[in-house]
Amino acid sequence: MKIVEMKIPVREVFDGYADTAEMGVRGYGGRLNIRPAFQREFVYNAKQRAAVVNTVRHGFPLNVMYWVRNAEGGFEMLDGQQRTLSICQYVNGDYSIDHRGFGNLTEEERAQILDYPLTVYVCEGTERERLDWFEVVNTAGEQLNAQERRNAQYTGRWLYEAKRYFSRTGCAAAALADKYMTGTPIRQDLLETALEWIADRDGCDLLDYMAAHQHDANADDLRQYFESVIAWVKTTFPVVRSKLMKGLPWGLYFNKHGGRSINPRKLEARIAQLLRDDEDVNDITNQRGIYEYLLDGDERHLSIRAFSPKMAQTAYARQKGICPVCGKHFAIEDMQADHIKPWSKGGRTVAENCQMLCKADNLKKGAMQTQCWSIWT
Ligand SMILES: [Zn+2]
């Protein structure tokens, strides 16, 4: 990991300055990525950018900027994006300050701006090092979120294609998966989620996937996978219940169950039943868990914790009203249903795992479990 301090005149940063939808904003002879394409748009207001330009015109110091040298020998702007944009846009003649644009300045004044040395720390290191560095430096200025920081590390055609699909307002991914996903495309939320899913498919972590595909010619693998996930959700659960479905980890479900033959009509009947059935509904504390429950049969996804009255009566009859702890007989009203194998340890809320304890013993057992929890946590 290497950090070098450089003094770079504005004229060099402005050299090759271009702002295009395709490439984002570039400068420094085309080698500096000032703002990547499709990055969320955060812009200084007129007062803020005038302050930057006036600082330069007076020859006062600007705070240090941070660039990161990428694998191709180019540079990514880590910190200083808005200040750099303010200066470049002014020099480019995009706006004026106090009715004076760059073109209205004297030759001397223009030279003064162009010769102004920006203090830049250029960082070089492995991908992981740079990412760690991003986390540290990115505490002030224009805050990037985790996926934006990752994006700055794995630039190239693959990322460009991926962002075109996942990261624009009204992008194809959002149009396709709007009812099933949460988040904002331009904040990279959809891209991040899709990457988490596909990394799970490949048994690696998200960064490994990005690293492995950075130099791909396109993002077809990711796009096609994502389309398969959403198509699977749509055929498996054809009735849309956005409130329950939005934001579930559909790709993870798909990775586990996508290959199975599932009868959507039966599933839907069961969902409708689970949602309708008063007795169950009262106990399902996590209705959103219905989908995962139906796929793998593990009712813990539903957080069903309470036994139904019928289960309690069955256990009471089986025990003939005897509390198995103290051996005394009780009326059913004086007993409570208890998980034989504790719920917290994976014990299921089914008749076979139900026993009736007298209230005193149930209280003791509960207290003991609480004690164990506090020891372990
Ligand atoms: Zn008892």
Side-chain angles (χ1 to χ4, degrees):
M1 175 81 160
K2 208 172 78 178
I3 298 173
V4 181
E5 185 187 324
M6 291 173 74
K7 297 279 184 193
I8 304 176
V10 165
R11 77 168 72 244
E12 285 181 30
V13 174
F14 184 72
D15 176 42
Y17 173 80
D19 182 354
T20 63
E22 170 98 350
M23 297 294 289
V25 183
R26 305 189 75 89
Y28 200 50
R31 292 164 65 209
L32 173 66
N33 197 356
I34 298 172
R35 189 179 68 205
F38 311 133
Q39 193 181 72
R40 79 195 143 103
E41 313 258 327
F42 167 85
V43 279
Y44 271 3
N45 60 33
K47 206 172 147 191
Q48 288 171 306
R49 63 188 187 187
V52 173
V53 171
N54 284 330
T55 302
V56 170
R57 287 193 54 191
H58 288 97
F60 295 155
L62 276 178
N63 282 341
V64 168
M65 296 178 180
Y66 293 87
W67 296 3
V68 178
R69 192 187 289 273
N70 62 29
E72 292 83 37
F75 302 92
E76 307 291 332
M77 178 77 71
L78 168 59
D79 193 69
Q81 185 190 77
Q82 291 307 315
R83 284 170 285 154
T84 305
L85 284 174
S86 299
I87 297 167
C88 287
Q89 285 168 353
Y90 184 74
V91 174
N92 201 43
D94 294 352
Y95 67 95
S96 48
I97 297 169
D98 299 331
H99 311 289
R100 290 185 88 204
F102 188 72
N104 305 118
L105 302 181
T106 65
E107 199 167 324
E108 204 177 324
E109 285 171 324
R110 289 204 296 263
Q112 206 251 325
I113 291 177
L114 293 173
D115 292 335
Y116 178 90
L118 298 167
T119 305
V120 178
Y121 284 175
V122 176
C123 162
E124 234 178 301
T126 65
E127 277 164 359
R128 297 278 172 166
E129 281 172 342
R130 282 181 278 152
L131 211 58
D132 288 346
W133 201 58
F134 262 48
E135 310 258 353
V136 175
V137 171
N138 194 231
T139 51
E142 310 90 34
Q143 299 247 335
L144 303 179
N145 64 30
Q147 188 56 41
E148 285 167 341
R149 289 195 296 268
R150 294 181 200 121
N151 287 352
Q153 296 300 305
Y154 300 100
T155 51
R157 193 73 207 169
W158 170 80
L159 183 70
Y160 172 76
E161 295 285 345
K163 285 167 87 174
R164 198 163 66 149
Y165 186 78
F166 287 100
S167 308
R168 278 187 302 190
T169 302
C171 62
L176 189 68
D178 187 39
K179 298 187 180 82
Y180 312 103
M181 295 179 82
T182 52
T184 313
I186 56 167
R187 293 303 312 268
Q188 312 301 327
D189 294 329
L190 302 191
L191 177 63
E192 182 176 38
T193 302
L195 285 169
E196 278 165 3
W197 293 352
I198 203 168
D200 174 76
R201 178 199 73 177
D202 293 355
C204 61
D205 81 10
L206 189 158
L207 285 179
D208 293 330
Y209 184 88
M210 291 187 81
H213 292 270
Q214 179 184 6
H215 301 297
D216 288 2
N218 56 56
D220 290 356
D221 179 47
L222 181 61
R223 183 176 51 77
Q224 284 162 5
Y225 164 78
F226 181 78
E227 286 170 359
S228 306
V229 172
I230 301 304
W232 174 79
V233 176
K234 285 181 174 171
T235 50
T236 310
F237 302 105
V239 176
V240 178
R241 295 180 174 88
S242 275
K243 212 175 109 204
L244 299 183
M245 297 176 105
K246 222 170 155 68
L248 290 175
W250 292 109
L252 306 187
Y253 300 166
F254 172 81
N255 295 345
K256 249 195 234 167
H257 307 287
R260 282 168 49 199
S261 137
I262 290 171
N263 183 335
R265 260 186 308 157
K266 273 192 187 163
L267 277 185
E268 172 49 32
R270 186 78 181 106
I271 294 169
Q273 186 197 5
L274 283 167
L275 291 176
R276 196 182 324 116
D277 193 331
D278 278 350
E279 197 176 65
D280 278 341
V281 139
N282 287 335
D283 293 337
I284 296 177
T285 50
N286 179 25
Q287 289 198 347
R288 283 161 59 79
I290 282 177
Y291 297 95
E292 196 172 8
Y293 162 64
L294 289 173
L295 290 168
D296 68 12
D298 185 346
E299 75 212 347
R300 283 168 40 82
H301 302 310
L302 302 176
S303 300
I304 298 177
R305 204 167 175 166
F307 289 103
S308 67
K310 199 172 156 228
M311 289 173 186
Q313 278 155 13
T314 306
Y316 183 80
R318 193 177 59 221
Q319 295 167 217
K320 301 187 169 63
I322 309 284
C323 169
V325 179
C326 59
K328 293 182 197 150
H329 184 274
F330 292 90
I332 191 163
E333 296 80 27
D334 296 324
M335 300 186 92
Q336 288 167 342
D338 170 65
H339 287 77
I340 299 171
K341 182 182 181 189
W343 188 81
S344 59
K345 298 200 171 82
R348 300 173 62 195
T349 307
V350 292
E352 303 85 75
N353 196 38
C354 178
Q355 65 180 355
M356 299 301 282
L357 299 180
C358 72
K359 285 177 182 169
D361 282 320
N362 195 39
L363 201 69
K364 276 186 224 156
K365 186 176 170 179
M368 269 179 52
Q369 278 174 10
T370 311
Q371 217 169 36
C372 289
W373 275 111
S374 62
I375 288 169
W376 296 113
T377 54

